[in-house]
Amino acid sequence: MMIQLQPIPAPRHFTDVPPVLLTDATLLERKNKVLTRMNEAGFDALVIYADKEHGGNFEYLTGFVPRFEEGLLILDKSGAATAILGNENLKMAQHSRIPVTLKHCPLFSLPNQPMDNETSLEMLFRETGLQALNRIGLVGWKMFTATRA
């Protein structure tokens, strides 16, 4: 096989296209659709995982993707939402397009970050009331592997 390098035309630029901004009504409609589907499926809550590469489901409701590391969004069937975020994303909770209660999880931070106020995920889940619920849906995942000597 022979490879040939040759110039190609530059991509077209679209300079007069205004951005499409999502309204609060759109985000509320999205949340209500999710809550309706949760109710139809019998879920008491959804736990939505996000990281930079897999943040679309989280962003669909909050309007932002957790940058750098991971985050969780817990949506209760009542509509209450909790964002569990690492150090770098704590400031983002105030910019969520739906109201969220913020929980800090340093485990979701970049390596070598301060781990002050470390609370286990189990305790954070208890604080949100997950242990009292019957059916919890999971959106997204994180693969953990362990090596043993």
Side-chain angles (χ1 to χ4, degrees):
M1 173 197 280
M2 183 174 180
I3 298 174
Q4 283 188 315
L5 298 177
Q6 59 188 26
I8 60 170
R12 288 179 48 198
H13 290 261
F14 299 95
T15 56
D16 295 327
V17 179
V20 176
L21 301 176
L22 297 175
T23 65
D24 289 340
T26 298
L27 273 288
L28 181 60
E29 180 182 346
R30 287 177 173 186
K31 180 180 173 183
N32 288 334
K33 284 180 180 181
V34 171
L35 290 169
T36 297
R37 296 295 303 271
M38 285 173 60
N39 184 53
E40 291 169 358
F43 286 110
D44 296 315
L46 283 182
V47 177
I48 302 167
Y49 170 80
D51 62 19
K52 187 172 179 168
E53 293 80 19
H54 308 98
N57 294 312
F58 190 103
E59 181 183 26
Y60 181 81
L61 292 171
T62 64
F64 73 94
V65 175
R67 296 192 62 218
F68 306 111
E69 291 299 322
E70 293 103 357
L72 293 175
L73 179 67
I74 299 172
L75 183 61
D76 185 84
K77 68 181 178 183
S78 70
T82 301
I84 300 177
L85 301 169
N87 298 341
E88 300 83 4
N89 290 300
L90 292 175
K91 65 186 174 293
M92 294 305 295
Q94 67 187 334
H95 300 290
S96 175
R97 298 292 299 275
I98 62 170
V100 296
T101 299
L102 174 62
K103 298 283 184 184
H104 180 210
C105 182
L107 176 67
F108 288 166
S109 300
L110 290 169
N112 299 315
Q113 293 293 306
M115 293 293 159
D116 299 344
N117 303 318
E118 185 171 353
T119 303
S120 70
L121 273 177
E122 180 182 357
M123 184 55 70
L124 292 172
F125 289 157
R126 286 186 181 281
E127 289 176 6
T128 64
L130 285 180
Q131 80 285 356
L133 303 178
N134 292 319
R135 192 159 187 214
I136 301 167
L138 178 62
V139 180
W141 65 90
K142 172 74 175 185
M143 295 293 292
F144 288 100
T145 58
T147 58
R148 299 191 185 258

